[in-house]
Amino acid sequence: MRERPPTREEDREAVARFLAARAEEAFLALYRAHAGYLYALALRLAGGSADEATELAQEAWVRAVERLAAFEGRSALRTWLAGILIRCAHERRRAARREAATDPQDLEERVGEGSPAAPPAASRLELERALAALAPELREVIVLHDLYGFTHAEIGEQLGVAAGTSKSRLFFARRALAARLGAPSPGPHALPAEGDSR
Amino acid sequence: MSPNDEDPGIPPPQLDALPREIEPPADLERRVVAALRRGGHLAPRARAPRAWMATAAAAAIFAAGVLVGRTAPDPAPEPPAGLAQFLLLLYEPTPLAVADDRDLVAEYGAWARGLARQGRLASAEKLAEASVRLPERAATAAEVEPTGFFVVRAASLDEALEIARGCPHLAHGGEIRVRPVDPT
């Protein structure tokens, strides 16, 4: 995996190079620059199922290439790709009307593959398991907001919900996660009102 | 974006321990490329060998033919004694930087004939199509196929490398891998 994400300029050049001839080598340069980021997000949104994450990432990459000519560079390419992945995940879940399967085996195999500076796998595994155990609509919000830094406005736009809905889901997600990790959680008085997008 | 700019009133969990990037399964890249090919989103792979390689190889083979006496308008010298054989495998990781293939034909041909006149060229061939692997498996996207080869005679690996450095393939952005032929 790369030591740092590509700059916007590098992304723009790589996109232009691919669109000029649609060569496989040019696509692979794009793919390899962002594959680790996108797969990690897919794995979290899929609740830890490696099979589902692989299918999801594949679908997102194909859809991204279909639409790449429309990429204007207003956001980082990584953010644009993440948006496509999030919509793919959301559509798949709505279509299936079921929760993504969680396979603890996959999680144990995958969480040890992060950066060398990361803490021991046991604590990461505990966090990954706790995230995977959340309801999908809570998990996607806490993953996007607390792990990947999306704002409620951005999450709302990607998921087709109000920013306030994203905010209240984040509250429930944090409370559920804290309970699973054994930390004290606040009472219901702290719950923001639905639709409150402060 | 700031993760905590819209805090809903409960502290965020300590998710810093989690990696933002995870190495995807090895076959994901192949699956994505295959899906893009099925959907017509990638340019077709070049199937035909480059004209320059076919012609240059033909020139080299002609020179080799002269060498072994298959044709004899100008008898080739006997190979110098005590030389080992070395395989020069030619690759094109990116398209060669040339404006006109005909220039390459002249360059490769002249280079190969020069080797043959010195008794240093054993054989040369172009390679067509991609490899078929046994046991059967799909090529990974990272694999690059050789496009041709020369077998040259040299006293040592250093001398073979010196010969390879003179090949016009390098000057145009190609790669050459040199391997000694095991005489046993």
Side-chain angles (χ1 to χ4, degrees):
Chain A
M1 283 182 290
R2 297 174 60 102
E3 291 180 1
R4 63 165 179 82
T7 64
R8 288 195 182 194
E9 186 56 33
E10 288 170 337
D11 274 338
R12 272 195 294 270
E13 286 174 6
V15 168
R17 203 174 303 124
F18 171 72
L19 292 176
R22 293 192 170 267
E24 180 176 324
E25 294 75 19
F27 167 72
L28 291 177
L30 279 170
Y31 173 89
R32 289 169 186 166
H34 300 287
Y37 174 86
L38 223 53
Y39 180 71
L41 179 55
L43 195 61
R44 268 72 181 243
L45 294 180
S49 164
D51 286 344
E52 192 165 339
T54 301
E55 287 178 17
L56 183 55
Q58 178 179 333
E59 182 183 343
W61 275 110
V62 171
R63 196 180 292 190
V65 169
E66 287 171 352
R67 300 174 182 181
L68 200 55
F71 174 68
E72 296 174 340
R74 285 185 297 185
S75 62
L77 181 63
R78 188 166 277 204
T79 306
W80 185 80
L81 290 169
I84 291 175
L85 179 80
I86 293 162
R87 284 193 293 278
C88 286
H90 204 57
E91 288 169 15
R92 287 167 74 93
R93 204 178 75 237
R94 288 176 66 179
R97 295 189 180 284
R98 61 175 173 76
E99 291 193 359
T102 300
D103 187 340
Q105 179 85 28
D106 291 341
L107 274 176
E108 287 177 29
E109 289 173 1
R110 295 284 160 191
V111 296
E113 298 175 4
S115 67
S123 63
R124 293 215 318 245
L125 181 60
E126 198 174 87
L127 276 170
E128 297 277 13
R129 279 178 166 160
L131 280 174
L134 294 177
E137 59 271 17
L138 301 185
R139 183 174 60 239
E140 64 190 4
V141 170
I142 196 170
V143 164
L144 294 175
H145 190 279
D146 287 348
L147 187 55
Y148 288 93
F150 284 73
T151 65
H152 288 299
E154 289 168 331
I155 295 168
E157 186 182 336
Q158 301 293 349
L159 301 183
V161 299
T165 303
S166 171
K167 195 168 186 177
S168 59
R169 285 181 185 175
L170 180 63
F171 171 86
F172 284 117
R174 284 180 178 177
R175 191 172 68 169
L177 193 69
R180 288 190 177 276
L181 294 172
S185 65
H189 63 276
L191 176 64
E194 182 87 8
D196 177 4
S197 59
R198 280 175 300 163
Chain B
M1 282 178 295
S2 168
N4 301 317
D5 60 354
E6 302 168 12
D7 196 312
I10 176 172
Q14 296 301 310
L15 298 183
D16 291 345
L18 301 182
R20 268 60 169 178
E21 297 196 26
I22 295 176
E23 190 72 35
D27 70 335
L28 178 58
E29 181 175 297
R30 180 186 57 76
R31 287 174 56 168
V32 170
V33 168
L36 291 173
R37 287 212 173 282
R38 282 195 302 274
H41 300 298
L42 292 180
R45 284 196 184 97
R47 303 290 293 173
R50 291 176 63 101
W52 68 263
M53 178 57 81
T55 315
I61 291 163
F62 173 75
V66 169
L67 170 69
V68 299
R70 290 203 298 259
T71 60
D74 181 15
E78 283 294 315
L83 298 185
Q85 293 195 351
F86 294 85
L87 173 66
L88 275 53
L89 268 174
L90 277 57
Y91 293 83
E92 291 180 38
T94 56
L96 298 191
V98 288
D100 190 336
D101 279 353
R102 286 173 297 186
D103 296 338
L104 281 180
V105 171
E107 280 187 74
Y108 279 67
W111 183 75
R113 282 191 295 274
L115 287 179
R117 278 195 296 271
Q118 299 165 38
R120 297 304 185 113
L121 182 65
S123 65
E125 296 288 353
K126 68 179 175 65
L127 297 173
E129 305 295 331
S131 305
V132 176
R133 291 161 177 77
L134 294 176
E136 288 189 19
R137 67 170 176 82
T140 67
E143 287 177 282
V144 178
E145 299 279 3
T147 54
F149 72 85
F150 293 93
V151 177
V152 302
R153 296 189 179 93
S156 64
L157 177 60
D158 284 344
E159 192 176 288
L161 290 172
E162 198 54 40
I163 291 173
R165 287 191 189 100
C167 181
H169 195 63
L170 291 179
H172 294 294
E175 284 185 7
I176 300 177
R177 295 179 199 168
V178 180
R179 292 190 68 169
V181 174
D182 189 333
T184 57

